């Protein structure tokens, strides 16, 4: 018997179901293919550096991008090797420290400067255990805390790890530059300052010898000029006065140079500082310069405690205030005011050290901004910046007053800055002196 034929409606229903299932399957296949292409496209955008032809299949584009990335990776590795070789051969010392103050790498110059033997950096060791320099460790800490490039100079004294070897080892005057990096890491470049220090010492010796030779003839010229002044005709007195003025200026210059040299030579032998009242030294210095202040009707305005006792070298701090007040009087206008302020503060280079901040502000024309980095240099005078008319004889400034001030601050391990005050527009000199209390301030 033959099979009975299906009704027409059942055949149509079967075809419709088949076509619907085929359409659904093709739709799912297309969606999966589209999603795969999207994933490949995103992957291609992540790894591709240069866009390939959009007409190429995604697989070919990805293969091309991977090849390009491999070439770039090889080039970067070569560049890193070149930088490492350059750092190893650099004339400056280089150290790389992580966020836990562990030494990760250093070059040959740094090993030579800090007397570091060949070490194994796996695992890394603490910097202070490898290079026995507290100043270097502090430079790294300050650079990390402040998040900016910091510099410091010190003399590194090599210490032998062998207690049986007590022979004298070389000492290097070093200058370190700390550079903050990501994740708390710090890079330090070291510079050997031995040659520069030797040149500075040679210059100072030459200057000292010349000034010593000039002191006696200048004194003789001054005595002769003072004698002539009472014996020449009235029309010639002005010429003798000009001669005396120039001789006095040269004498002040010689005295200032000799004072600087004495500070350089006697700084290591000054002995222990003694408790002194800093406020009292300010008033004593003002009494010394009061004749000059009265001529120009310049007054002093003090703002601070009545007494501040610190352990200092009183004669040096007295000279510091003499120079600062004298400088303010010379460059203040007639009837001007010199402000002196004292407040408790922290050392700018190390916030863990308490300090006394002394500010001296005049009401003159201030400094030219471009001259501020050179204010404390020897023989510097910002005449164009602070040209102020003075009654009577010309200025006897030698350009060494602020140099002596900076030297005195350095002897006391303090800090000094110079800028223009935003309100008075005059010179604004700030001195930080480490605060070592001897008695409670009142």
């Amino acid at each position: 018997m033959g099979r009975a034929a299906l009704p027409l409606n059942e055949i149509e229903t079967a075809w419709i179901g088949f076509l619907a299932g085929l359409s659904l399957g093709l739709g799912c296949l297309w969606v999966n293919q589209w999603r795969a292409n999207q994933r490949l496209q995103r992957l291609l955008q992540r790894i591709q550096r240069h866009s390939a032809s959009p007409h190429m299949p995604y697989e070919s584009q990805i293969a091309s991008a991977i090849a390009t990335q491999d070439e770039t990776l090889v080039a970067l590795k070569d560049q890193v090797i070149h930088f490492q070789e350059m750092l190893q051969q650099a004339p400056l010392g280089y150290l790389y420290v992580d966020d836990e103050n562990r030494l990760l790498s250093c070059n040959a110059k740094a090993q030579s400067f800090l007397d570091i033997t060949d070490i194994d950096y796996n695992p890394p060791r603490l910097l202070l255990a490898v290079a026995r320099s507290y100043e270097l460790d502090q430079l790294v800490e300050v650079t990390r805390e402040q998040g900016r490039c910091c510099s410091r100079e010190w003399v590194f004294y090599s210490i032998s790890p062998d207690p049986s070897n007590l022979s004298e080892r070389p000492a290097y005057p070093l200058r370190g530059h700390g550079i903050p990096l990501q994740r708390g890491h710090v890079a330090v470049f070291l510079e050997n300052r031995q040659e520069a220090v030797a040149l500075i010492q040679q210059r100072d010796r030459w200057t000292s010898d010349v000034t010593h030779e000039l002191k006696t003839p200048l004194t003789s010229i001054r005595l002769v000029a003072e004698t002539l002044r009472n014996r020449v005709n009235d029309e010639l007195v002005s010429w003798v006065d000009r001669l005396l003025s120039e001789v006095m200026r040269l004498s002040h210059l010689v005295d200032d140079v000799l004072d600087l040299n004495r500070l350089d030579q006697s700084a290591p032998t000054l002995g222990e500082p003694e408790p002194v009242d800093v406020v009292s030294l300010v008033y004593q210095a003002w009494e010394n310069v009061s004749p000059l202040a009265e001529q120009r009707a310049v007054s002093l305005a003090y703002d601070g405690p009545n007494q501040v006792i610190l352990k200092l070298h009183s004669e040096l701090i007295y000279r510091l205030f003499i120079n600062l007040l004298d400088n303010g009087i010379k460059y203040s206008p007639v009837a001007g005011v010199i402000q002196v302020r004292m407040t408790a503060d922290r050392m700018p280079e190390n916030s863990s050290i308490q300090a006394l901040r002394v500010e001296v502000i005049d009401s003159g024309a201030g400094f030219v901004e471009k001259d501020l980095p050179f204010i404390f240099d020897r023989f510097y005078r910002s005449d164009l910046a602070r040209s102020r008319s003075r009654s009577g004889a010309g200025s006897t400034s030698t350009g060494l007053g602020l140099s002596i001030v900076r030297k005195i601050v350095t002897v006391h391990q303090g800090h000094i800055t110079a800028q223009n005050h935003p309100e008075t527009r005059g010179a604004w000199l700030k001195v930080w002196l480490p605060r070592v209390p001897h008695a409670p301030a009142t």
Side-chain angles (χ1 to χ4, degrees), residues 228-240:
L228 287 177
R229 191 181 187 283
N230 299 324
R231 299 185 181 184
V232 298
N233 298 329
D234 294 340
E235 60 271 12
L236 299 178
V237 170
S238 61
W239 293 94
V240 179

Side-chain angles (χ1 to χ4, degrees), residues 204-229:
D204 293 343
R205 284 195 298 268
W206 179 85
T207 305
S208 179
D209 294 341
V210 171
T211 50
H212 275 292
E213 293 297 328
L214 287 175
K215 191 170 182 63
T216 300
L218 283 175
T219 303
S220 301
I221 295 173
R222 177 183 174 183
L223 292 175
V224 172
E226 290 175 348
T227 303
L228 287 177
R229 191 181 187 283

Side-chain angles (χ1 to χ4, degrees), residues 177-344:
H177 304 272
I179 303 175
L181 303 175
Q182 295 180 353
R183 303 190 306 274
H185 292 203
V186 176
V188 179
F189 287 92
L190 296 177
E191 177 186 359
N192 189 348
R193 297 277 297 164
Q194 191 166 7
E195 183 177 355
V197 170
L199 290 175
I200 293 174
Q201 291 175 350
Q202 183 179 1
R203 180 204 65 186
D204 293 343
R205 284 195 298 268
W206 179 85
T207 305
S208 179
D209 294 341
V210 171
T211 50
H212 275 292
E213 293 297 328
L214 287 175
K215 191 170 182 63
T216 300
L218 283 175
T219 303
S220 301
I221 295 173
R222 177 183 174 183
L223 292 175
V224 172
E226 290 175 348
T227 303
L228 287 177
R229 191 181 187 283
N230 299 324
R231 299 185 181 184
V232 298
N233 298 329
D234 294 340
E235 60 271 12
L236 299 178
V237 170
S238 61
W239 293 94
V240 179
D241 288 339
R242 290 178 60 183
L243 175 61
L244 278 171
S245 176
E246 292 301 319
V247 171
M248 290 294 294
R249 187 179 69 84
L250 289 176
S251 298
H252 286 304
L253 174 62
V254 169
D255 292 338
D256 287 344
V257 172
L258 290 176
D259 288 340
L260 272 175
N261 290 334
R262 291 191 194 100
L263 283 173
D264 290 333
Q265 296 172 6
S266 62
T269 59
L270 285 174
E272 291 295 326
E274 298 178 354
V276 295
D277 181 12
V278 183
V279 179
S280 175
L281 291 179
V282 171
Y283 284 110
Q284 292 178 24
W286 180 255
E287 290 180 2
N288 186 288
V289 298
S290 59
L292 179 61
E294 292 173 357
Q295 292 179 6
R296 303 181 56 79
V298 177
S299 59
L300 172 69
Y302 172 73
D303 182 15
N306 296 330
Q307 186 183 46
V308 178
I309 305 298
L310 297 182
K311 287 186 176 181
L312 303 168
H313 299 285
S314 59
E315 67 281 0
L316 296 183
I317 299 299
Y318 176 75
R319 176 63 186 273
L320 178 144
F321 287 131
I322 286 286
N323 285 11
L324 291 180
L325 294 176
D326 180 75
N327 189 75
I329 293 172
K330 288 177 181 177
Y331 295 117
S332 288
V334 176
V337 177
I338 298 177
Q339 304 177 48
V340 177
R341 302 173 182 172
M342 290 190 188
T343 53

Side-chain angles (χ1 to χ4, degrees), residues 87 93-99 101-107 110 121 124-125 127 136 140 144 179-189:
L87 288 174
Y94 169 76
L95 301 99
Y96 182 49
V97 183
D98 67 2
D99 56 336
N101 270 24
R102 296 179 301 180
L103 181 62
L104 301 182
S105 65
C106 65
N107 65 356
Y121 299 108
R125 297 174 57 189
L127 175 63
L136 176 61
V140 173
R144 183 182 295 111
I179 303 175
L181 303 175
Q182 295 180 353
R183 303 190 306 274
H185 292 203
V186 176
V188 179
F189 287 92

Side-chain angles (χ1 to χ4, degrees), residues 105-126:
S105 65
C106 65
N107 65 356
K109 276 293 182 181
Q111 293 181 6
S112 175
F113 292 162
L114 301 174
D115 198 16
I116 300 176
T117 58
D118 293 334
I119 61 174
D120 185 8
Y121 299 108
N122 190 18
R125 297 174 57 189
L126 286 176

Side-chain angles (χ1 to χ4, degrees), residues 42 125 176 237 343 351 397 411 429:
R42 288 194 297 268
R125 297 174 57 189
V237 170
T343 53
S351 59
S397 175
V411 168
L429 294 163

